Amino acid sequence: MDRVVRRWWNGLWGRLSRRDVWLVRQTQWKVIARTGDSESGTTLRWEFDSQAEAQDMVERLLRAPSPGSWREQSTPE
């Protein structure tokens, strides 16, 4: 079962400017990044053996040029 540990959103709506990033824990750590909306956007996924490696990827994604301003969203525990 996947568990969303942390989540970020760039604060913009719309299929061309919205960006989402999730840090997900399963057996391995996953990072999921989406460009655009949930219906027509593009989703990329990476798997890592450690939380540190996954967090490094999240930080890399958040540093990449993107419209808007990243903000972390609360996730259910």
Side-chain angles (χ1 to χ4, degrees):
M1 172 183 256
D2 290 351
R3 182 173 73 85
V4 176
V5 178
R6 296 175 74 184
R7 181 178 180 196
W8 296 264
W9 169 47
N10 70 340
L12 298 176
W13 295 97
R15 63 184 182 87
L16 298 177
S17 57
R18 182 180 178 121
R19 303 287 188 273
D20 295 276
V21 174
W22 294 268
L23 178 61
V24 178
R25 174 72 172 143
Q26 193 183 41
T27 306
Q28 293 181 311
W29 286 88
K30 291 182 183 179
V31 175
I32 303 167
R34 181 175 64 208
T35 301
D37 62 16
S38 61
E39 294 178 18
S40 63
T42 301
T43 303
L44 300 172
R45 292 172 170 79
W46 298 267
E47 292 187 0
F48 301 93
D49 292 327
S50 73
Q51 181 179 4
E53 291 173 311
Q55 189 64 48
D56 286 345
M57 175 57 86
V58 167
E59 291 170 9
R60 186 173 154 207
L61 290 165
L62 297 180
R63 282 193 311 266
S66 174
S69 176
W70 287 108
R71 58 192 82 176
E72 187 166 356
Q73 298 178 295
S74 60
T75 57
E77 291 294 321

XYZ file of all heavy atoms in Angstrom:
649
model
N 0.837 -1.183 0.000
C 0.000 0.000 0.000
C 0.884 1.249 0.000
O 1.821 1.345 0.768
C -0.914 -0.011 1.217
C -1.677 1.279 1.393
S -2.685 1.276 2.861
C -4.249 1.034 2.100
N 0.592 2.178 -0.879
C 1.327 3.435 -0.938
C 0.877 4.367 0.178
O -0.306 4.427 0.498
C 1.089 4.141 -2.275
C 1.742 3.424 -3.437
O 2.519 2.492 -3.193
O 1.479 3.800 -4.582
N 1.836 5.093 0.761
C 1.514 6.104 1.772
C 2.191 7.402 1.354
O 3.411 7.446 1.203
C 2.009 5.674 3.147
C 1.661 6.678 4.245
C 2.016 6.137 5.613
N 3.442 6.120 5.870
C 4.136 7.164 6.339
N 3.543 8.298 6.595
N 5.427 7.059 6.555
N 1.394 8.438 1.135
C 1.941 9.742 0.779
C 2.552 10.345 2.044
O 1.861 10.574 3.027
C 0.867 10.678 0.191
C 1.448 12.058 -0.070
C 0.286 10.087 -1.080
N 3.859 10.567 2.026
C 4.576 11.107 3.175
C 4.557 12.630 3.147
O 4.309 13.279 4.162
C 6.029 10.580 3.201
C 6.811 11.170 4.351
C 6.025 9.052 3.269
N 4.820 13.208 1.978
C 4.798 14.666 1.804
C 4.314 14.980 0.393
O 4.434 14.140 -0.502
C 6.181 15.270 2.033
C 6.659 15.080 3.467
C 8.061 15.561 3.682
N 8.101 17.028 3.701
C 9.241 17.713 3.802
N 10.401 17.095 3.859
N 9.228 19.034 3.815
N 3.801 16.197 0.230
C 3.286 16.591 -1.085
C 3.501 18.084 -1.285
O 3.343 18.871 -0.356
C 1.790 16.284 -1.152
C 1.184 16.641 -2.486
C -0.274 16.285 -2.555
N -0.777 16.661 -3.866
C -2.043 16.765 -4.163
N -2.958 16.520 -3.263
N -2.406 17.113 -5.369
N 3.845 18.469 -2.526
C 4.044 19.874 -2.877
C 3.222 20.203 -4.112
O 2.963 19.348 -4.952
C 5.512 20.169 -3.180
C 6.406 19.968 -2.011
C 6.838 20.926 -1.129
C 6.983 18.750 -1.578
N 7.640 20.364 -0.183
C 7.750 19.014 -0.425
C 6.924 17.429 -2.015
C 8.450 18.044 0.260
C 7.617 16.457 -1.339
C 8.373 16.765 -0.213
N 2.840 21.482 -4.227
C 2.083 21.988 -5.361
C 2.605 23.385 -5.648
O 2.902 24.147 -4.722
C 0.609 22.016 -4.996
C -0.300 22.733 -5.943
C -0.332 22.602 -7.299
C -1.320 23.675 -5.615
N -1.320 23.402 -7.838
C -1.947 24.078 -6.799
C -1.767 24.219 -4.426
C -2.983 24.983 -6.843
C -2.808 25.115 -4.475
C -3.405 25.495 -5.664
N 2.733 23.760 -6.907
C 3.302 25.068 -7.237
C 2.304 26.210 -7.115
O 2.631 27.352 -7.381
C 3.958 25.059 -8.623
C 2.954 24.955 -9.759
O 1.822 24.539 -9.575
N 3.379 25.305 -10.950
N 1.082 25.950 -6.707
C 0.104 26.994 -6.425
C -0.659 27.516 -7.623
O -1.431 28.459 -7.495
N -0.451 26.926 -8.786
C -1.137 27.384 -9.987
C -2.111 26.323 -10.495
O -1.857 25.126 -10.387
C -0.125 27.707 -11.095
C 0.863 28.828 -10.775
C 1.865 28.975 -11.907
C 0.129 30.132 -10.549
N -3.225 26.781 -11.051
C -4.211 25.887 -11.652
C -4.000 25.876 -13.163
O -3.411 26.777 -13.725
C -5.623 26.391 -11.347
C -5.931 26.350 -9.896
C -5.834 27.393 -9.018
C -6.343 25.230 -9.141
N -6.168 26.990 -7.759
C -6.492 25.650 -7.801
C -6.609 23.901 -9.439
C -6.898 24.806 -6.786
C -7.022 23.062 -8.421
C -7.168 23.514 -7.125
N -4.498 24.870 -13.812
C -4.452 24.828 -15.270
C -3.478 23.794 -15.790
O -2.449 23.531 -15.197
N -3.814 23.246 -16.916
C -3.046 22.127 -17.446
C -1.663 22.505 -17.925
O -0.792 21.659 -18.029
C -3.816 21.412 -18.550
C -4.107 22.254 -19.758
C -4.955 21.466 -20.759
N -5.208 22.243 -21.940
C -4.390 22.294 -22.982
N -3.286 21.599 -22.982
N -4.686 23.029 -24.031
N -1.410 23.769 -18.224
C -0.102 24.164 -18.727
C 0.861 24.607 -17.637
O 2.077 24.518 -17.803
C -0.244 25.282 -19.767
C -1.038 24.901 -21.016
C -1.163 26.111 -21.941
C -0.398 23.734 -21.730
N 0.359 25.078 -16.516
C 1.251 25.647 -15.498
C 1.280 24.886 -14.179
O 2.190 25.072 -13.388
C 0.868 27.107 -15.230
O -0.479 27.186 -14.836
N 0.318 24.016 -13.911
C 0.276 23.314 -12.638
C 1.391 22.272 -12.555
O 1.703 21.586 -13.515
C -1.072 22.621 -12.453
C -1.156 21.918 -11.113
C -2.477 21.228 -10.903
N -2.446 20.561 -9.625
C -3.290 20.803 -8.645
N -4.247 21.689 -8.806
N -3.196 20.154 -7.514
N 2.013 22.160 -11.365
C 3.027 21.136 -11.085
C 2.724 20.540 -9.718
O 2.388 21.256 -8.774
C 4.432 21.736 -11.052
C 4.864 22.464 -12.307
C 5.156 21.478 -13.437
N 5.739 22.128 -14.580
C 5.038 22.690 -15.565
N 3.729 22.699 -15.530
N 5.646 23.247 -16.587
N 2.855 19.219 -9.591
C 2.680 18.508 -8.326
C 3.852 17.564 -8.129
O 4.340 16.972 -9.093
C 1.392 17.668 -8.342
C 0.142 18.513 -8.434
O -0.311 18.971 -7.373
O -0.382 18.708 -9.544
N 4.295 17.402 -6.877
C 5.345 16.441 -6.535
C 4.914 15.728 -5.258
O 4.483 16.365 -4.296
C 6.715 17.136 -6.313
C 7.752 16.142 -5.813
C 7.190 17.809 -7.585
N 5.011 14.388 -5.243
C 4.680 13.579 -4.077
C 5.891 12.764 -3.643
O 6.617 12.235 -4.488
C 3.574 12.571 -4.398
C 2.242 13.143 -4.725
C 1.218 13.386 -3.861
C 1.752 13.506 -6.015
N 0.133 13.886 -4.536
C 0.436 13.978 -5.860
C 2.306 13.493 -7.288
C -0.335 14.406 -6.933
C 1.538 13.935 -8.353
C 0.239 14.381 -8.165
N 6.067 12.599 -2.334
C 7.032 11.659 -1.773
C 6.195 10.531 -1.175
O 5.404 10.751 -0.259
C 7.886 12.333 -0.699
C 8.907 11.448 0.007
C 9.927 10.878 -0.982
C 9.606 12.226 1.098
N 6.342 9.327 -1.748
C 5.476 8.197 -1.408
C 6.315 7.065 -0.834
O 7.391 6.751 -1.356
C 4.716 7.702 -2.669
C 3.859 6.498 -2.358
C 3.880 8.827 -3.257
N 5.813 6.426 0.218
C 6.495 5.277 0.831
C 5.703 4.013 0.561
O 4.515 3.946 0.800
C 6.620 5.502 2.340
C 7.182 4.326 3.096
C 8.654 4.171 2.809
N 9.220 3.158 3.673
C 10.138 2.310 3.308
N 10.628 2.348 2.086
N 10.616 1.424 4.135
N 6.365 3.032 0.018
C 5.807 1.700 -0.176
C 6.874 0.774 0.379
O 7.392 1.049 1.452
C 5.520 1.444 -1.655
C 4.662 0.234 -1.913
C 4.466 -0.005 -3.397
O 5.394 0.141 -4.186
N 3.274 -0.384 -3.779
N 7.203 -0.297 -0.274
C 8.361 -1.091 0.111
C 9.612 -0.276 -0.165
O 10.553 -0.261 0.600
C 8.403 -2.417 -0.676
O 7.162 -3.072 -0.487
C 9.524 -3.283 -0.226
N 9.580 0.417 -1.282
C 10.629 1.367 -1.637
C 10.031 2.761 -1.538
O 8.820 2.930 -1.434
C 11.100 1.139 -3.069
C 11.812 -0.163 -3.285
C 12.262 -0.277 -4.733
O 11.484 -0.046 -5.641
N 13.515 -0.632 -4.922
N 10.891 3.759 -1.595
C 10.418 5.143 -1.648
C 10.157 5.497 -3.097
O 10.920 5.122 -3.984
C 11.461 6.077 -1.056
C 11.513 5.963 0.430
C 12.274 5.082 1.148
C 10.777 6.715 1.369
N 12.049 5.258 2.485
C 11.141 6.253 2.653
C 9.845 7.748 1.261
C 10.588 6.797 3.805
C 9.320 8.281 2.413
C 9.682 7.799 3.668
N 9.076 6.219 -3.356
C 8.732 6.659 -4.703
C 8.637 8.175 -4.720
O 8.201 8.783 -3.748
C 7.363 6.128 -5.131
C 7.289 4.655 -5.357
C 5.896 4.304 -5.831
C 5.730 2.823 -6.006
N 4.368 2.482 -6.455
N 9.010 8.760 -5.845
C 8.767 10.170 -6.101
C 7.930 10.221 -7.369
O 8.249 9.571 -8.366
C 10.081 10.965 -6.273
C 9.787 12.406 -6.668
C 10.914 10.913 -5.002
N 6.849 10.983 -7.314
C 5.935 11.122 -8.447
C 5.843 12.605 -8.776
O 5.632 13.425 -7.882
C 4.533 10.575 -8.099
C 4.631 9.115 -7.655
C 3.590 10.740 -9.288
C 3.377 8.579 -6.999
N 6.027 12.960 -10.027
C 5.927 14.354 -10.457
C 4.957 14.438 -11.623
O 5.019 13.628 -12.544
C 7.294 14.893 -10.870
N 4.064 15.414 -11.560
C 3.085 15.587 -12.637
C 3.164 17.006 -13.170
O 3.273 17.967 -12.416
C 1.673 15.303 -12.137
C 0.634 15.445 -13.237
C -0.760 15.062 -12.812
N -1.219 15.963 -11.771
C -2.100 15.611 -10.840
N -2.578 14.395 -10.792
N -2.483 16.480 -9.933
N 3.080 17.140 -14.483
C 2.970 18.429 -15.161
C 1.573 18.513 -15.738
O 1.145 17.608 -16.439
C 4.009 18.542 -16.297
O 5.315 18.393 -15.744
C 3.905 19.861 -17.011
N 0.854 19.585 -15.442
C -0.500 19.744 -15.957
C -1.525 19.147 -15.017
O -1.231 18.767 -13.896
N -2.761 19.050 -15.497
C -3.845 18.565 -14.643
C -3.911 17.040 -14.639
O -3.183 16.362 -15.352
C -5.188 19.195 -15.045
C -5.612 18.837 -16.466
O -5.063 17.882 -17.037
O -6.501 19.517 -16.997
N -4.818 16.505 -13.815
C -4.891 15.053 -13.644
C -5.427 14.325 -14.868
O -5.194 13.135 -15.037
C -5.744 14.707 -12.420
O -7.060 15.205 -12.596
N -6.148 15.016 -15.736
C -6.729 14.361 -16.902
C -5.798 14.329 -18.114
O -5.732 13.346 -18.825
C -8.045 15.038 -17.278
C -9.112 14.851 -16.213
C -10.398 15.565 -16.571
O -10.585 15.908 -17.754
O -11.214 15.780 -15.665
N -5.074 15.408 -18.343
C -4.259 15.462 -19.562
C -2.780 15.701 -19.274
O -2.000 15.882 -20.195
C -4.781 16.567 -20.489
O -4.661 17.834 -19.862
N -2.388 15.696 -17.991
C -0.999 15.953 -17.633
C -0.087 14.763 -17.885
O -0.535 13.672 -18.227
N 1.195 15.000 -17.703
C 2.217 13.967 -17.852
C 2.759 13.617 -16.475
O 3.099 14.506 -15.694
C 3.372 14.482 -18.730
O 2.850 14.840 -20.005
C 4.448 13.418 -18.896
N 2.850 12.332 -16.158
C 3.323 11.883 -14.854
C 4.604 11.064 -15.006
O 4.672 10.179 -15.856
C 2.249 11.026 -14.149
O 1.047 11.805 -14.037
C 2.700 10.600 -12.769
N 5.606 11.386 -14.187
C 6.862 10.638 -14.140
C 7.002 10.023 -12.756
O 6.568 10.614 -11.764
C 8.045 11.567 -14.420
C 8.047 12.264 -15.776
C 9.163 13.292 -15.829
C 8.191 11.253 -16.890
N 7.634 8.838 -12.666
C 7.813 8.148 -11.393
C 9.242 7.629 -11.268
O 9.809 7.155 -12.250
C 6.854 6.964 -11.286
C 5.406 7.352 -11.164
C 4.505 6.110 -11.254
N 3.133 6.406 -10.909
C 2.253 6.985 -11.697
N 2.602 7.340 -12.908
N 1.025 7.213 -11.296
N 9.789 7.721 -10.046
C 11.103 7.179 -9.734
C 10.989 6.370 -8.452
O 10.197 6.702 -7.571
C 12.120 8.303 -9.500
C 12.356 9.187 -10.673
C 13.327 9.046 -11.618
C 11.648 10.374 -11.018
N 13.251 10.065 -12.530
C 12.226 10.906 -12.183
C 10.560 11.063 -10.460
C 11.775 12.062 -12.795
C 10.114 12.217 -11.074
C 10.720 12.707 -12.220
N 11.782 5.310 -8.317
C 11.813 4.499 -7.091
C 13.214 4.525 -6.506
O 14.209 4.480 -7.243
C 11.397 3.063 -7.389
C 9.940 2.953 -7.772
C 9.473 1.511 -7.912
O 10.282 0.575 -7.703
O 8.297 1.319 -8.232
N 13.290 4.571 -5.168
C 14.563 4.660 -4.454
C 14.552 3.709 -3.269
O 13.504 3.421 -2.694
C 14.793 6.096 -3.956
C 14.809 7.105 -5.062
C 13.658 7.777 -5.432
C 15.977 7.367 -5.760
C 13.654 8.697 -6.466
C 15.989 8.287 -6.799
C 14.824 8.955 -7.147
N 15.736 3.259 -2.873
C 15.854 2.353 -1.731
C 15.859 3.083 -0.393
O 15.578 2.488 0.634
C 17.131 1.509 -1.845
C 17.044 0.531 -3.007
O 15.933 0.053 -3.307
O 18.087 0.257 -3.621
N 16.180 4.374 -0.392
C 16.235 5.108 0.879
C 15.460 6.414 0.788
O 15.284 6.982 -0.302
C 17.689 5.411 1.263
O 18.211 6.425 0.429
N 15.023 6.888 1.938
C 14.318 8.157 1.991
C 15.242 9.305 1.563
O 14.813 10.236 0.895
C 13.779 8.423 3.392
C 13.008 9.724 3.486
C 12.441 9.988 4.859
O 12.663 9.235 5.792
N 11.692 11.058 4.986
N 16.513 9.227 1.931
C 17.464 10.290 1.580
C 17.593 10.441 0.062
O 17.605 11.566 -0.461
C 18.829 10.009 2.204
N 17.686 9.328 -0.653
C 17.773 9.386 -2.113
C 16.503 9.976 -2.717
O 16.562 10.793 -3.645
C 17.989 7.990 -2.691
C 19.339 7.381 -2.396
C 19.408 5.935 -2.861
O 18.493 5.143 -2.550
O 20.390 5.607 -3.540
N 15.360 9.566 -2.183
C 14.085 10.084 -2.681
C 13.969 11.577 -2.397
O 13.539 12.355 -3.257
C 12.922 9.328 -2.033
N 14.351 12.000 -1.193
C 14.284 13.415 -0.834
C 15.211 14.257 -1.717
O 14.877 15.370 -2.090
C 14.626 13.603 0.640
C 14.367 15.001 1.150
C 12.905 15.386 1.112
O 12.042 14.640 1.547
N 12.610 16.554 0.580
N 16.375 13.699 -2.080
C 17.285 14.398 -3.002
C 16.599 14.672 -4.343
O 16.746 15.747 -4.923
C 18.563 13.596 -3.230
C 19.510 13.615 -2.044
O 19.330 14.470 -1.145
O 20.426 12.772 -2.027
N 15.845 13.686 -4.845
C 15.129 13.863 -6.108
C 14.040 14.923 -5.958
O 13.852 15.774 -6.831
C 14.521 12.544 -6.594
C 13.668 12.706 -7.847
S 14.511 13.443 -9.267
C 15.256 12.002 -9.980
N 13.314 14.891 -4.836
C 12.277 15.903 -4.599
C 12.906 17.291 -4.631
O 12.407 18.208 -5.297
C 11.556 15.660 -3.252
C 10.724 16.872 -2.861
C 10.690 14.417 -3.324
N 14.008 17.469 -3.933
C 14.676 18.775 -3.888
C 15.137 19.210 -5.278
O 15.029 20.379 -5.640
C 15.827 18.741 -2.893
C 15.341 18.621 -1.461
C 16.436 18.342 -0.462
O 17.631 18.398 -0.826
O 16.095 18.042 0.692
N 15.614 18.261 -6.058
C 16.027 18.559 -7.436
C 14.834 19.032 -8.268
O 14.930 19.999 -9.021
C 16.647 17.305 -8.038
C 17.237 17.487 -9.378
C 17.975 16.227 -9.796
N 18.004 16.163 -11.239
C 18.078 15.062 -11.943
N 18.147 13.904 -11.349
N 18.108 15.094 -13.246
N 13.696 18.359 -8.117
C 12.493 18.746 -8.850
C 12.002 20.131 -8.426
O 11.574 20.928 -9.261
C 11.385 17.711 -8.632
C 11.603 16.359 -9.296
C 10.640 15.328 -8.719
C 11.444 16.469 -10.798
N 12.073 20.423 -7.136
C 11.598 21.710 -6.640
C 12.521 22.860 -7.051
O 12.089 24.010 -7.115
C 11.435 21.673 -5.120
C 10.401 20.675 -4.575
C 10.345 20.758 -3.065
C 9.031 20.900 -5.186
N 13.796 22.567 -7.328
C 14.751 23.597 -7.781
C 14.645 23.880 -9.279
O 15.113 24.904 -9.753
C 16.187 23.169 -7.457
C 16.581 23.354 -6.016
C 18.089 23.217 -5.825
N 18.659 22.037 -6.441
C 18.869 20.870 -5.827
N 18.554 20.730 -4.565
N 19.411 19.860 -6.473
N 14.054 22.957 -10.035
C 13.946 23.126 -11.494
C 13.058 24.330 -11.822
O 12.128 24.633 -11.074
C 13.370 21.863 -12.122
N 13.346 25.022 -12.923
C 12.518 26.165 -13.305
C 11.052 25.754 -13.449
O 10.738 24.744 -14.085
C 13.088 26.587 -14.660
C 14.476 26.037 -14.688
C 14.433 24.783 -13.872
N 10.168 26.509 -12.814
C 8.746 26.211 -12.836
C 7.967 27.482 -12.540
O 8.397 28.284 -11.719
C 8.421 25.151 -11.774
O 7.029 24.941 -11.693
N 6.825 27.669 -13.189
C 6.001 28.819 -12.851
C 5.420 28.644 -11.448
O 5.355 27.534 -10.930
C 4.896 28.796 -13.915
C 4.835 27.387 -14.387
C 6.236 26.834 -14.229
N 5.021 29.719 -10.828
C 4.375 29.640 -9.521
C 5.386 29.569 -8.392
O 6.589 29.759 -8.580
N 4.882 29.292 -7.207
C 5.691 29.226 -5.998
C 5.343 27.941 -5.251
O 4.192 27.742 -4.867
C 5.381 30.452 -5.127
O 6.065 30.386 -3.916
N 6.318 27.053 -5.053
C 6.061 25.771 -4.410
C 5.562 25.967 -2.987
O 6.058 26.801 -2.250
C 7.325 24.916 -4.378
C 7.693 24.365 -5.711
C 8.736 24.754 -6.502
C 7.014 23.333 -6.447
N 8.748 24.030 -7.664
C 7.713 23.141 -7.657
C 5.902 22.552 -6.191
C 7.317 22.214 -8.607
C 5.511 21.617 -7.148
C 6.218 21.454 -8.330
N 4.590 25.159 -2.594
C 4.091 25.135 -1.224
C 3.772 23.695 -0.852
O 3.219 22.957 -1.657
C 2.873 26.036 -1.067
C 1.740 25.646 -2.012
C 0.670 26.683 -2.066
N 1.119 27.718 -2.989
C 0.405 28.756 -3.343
N -0.784 28.923 -2.870
N 0.876 29.634 -4.196
N 4.158 23.311 0.326
C 3.881 21.940 0.765
C 2.440 21.855 1.223
O 1.920 22.762 1.862
C 4.827 21.540 1.899
C 4.680 20.069 2.243
C 5.801 19.544 3.118
O 6.741 20.295 3.406
O 5.728 18.365 3.499
N 1.788 20.754 0.871
C 0.401 20.509 1.258
C 0.385 19.452 2.343
O 1.173 18.488 2.293
C -0.417 20.035 0.067
C -0.468 21.069 -1.040
C -1.250 20.542 -2.215
O -0.839 19.581 -2.843
N -2.365 21.170 -2.502
N -0.500 19.581 3.300
C -0.600 18.562 4.344
C -1.172 17.281 3.731
O -1.927 17.309 2.789
C -1.472 19.038 5.495
O -2.775 19.321 5.017
N -0.748 16.152 4.289
C -1.224 14.855 3.798
C -1.810 14.070 4.965
O -1.389 14.235 6.103
C -0.082 14.030 3.170
O 0.944 13.878 4.156
C 0.487 14.736 1.958
N -2.784 13.202 4.692
C -3.372 12.394 5.759
C -2.353 11.396 6.298
O -1.535 10.871 5.555
C -4.534 11.676 5.079
C -4.242 11.732 3.615
C -3.371 12.925 3.389
N -2.363 11.191 7.574
C -1.449 10.225 8.211
C -2.053 8.852 8.239
O -3.133 8.580 8.459
C -1.115 10.668 9.635
C -0.268 11.904 9.655
C 1.124 11.683 9.059
O 1.716 10.618 9.291
O 1.608 12.566 8.357
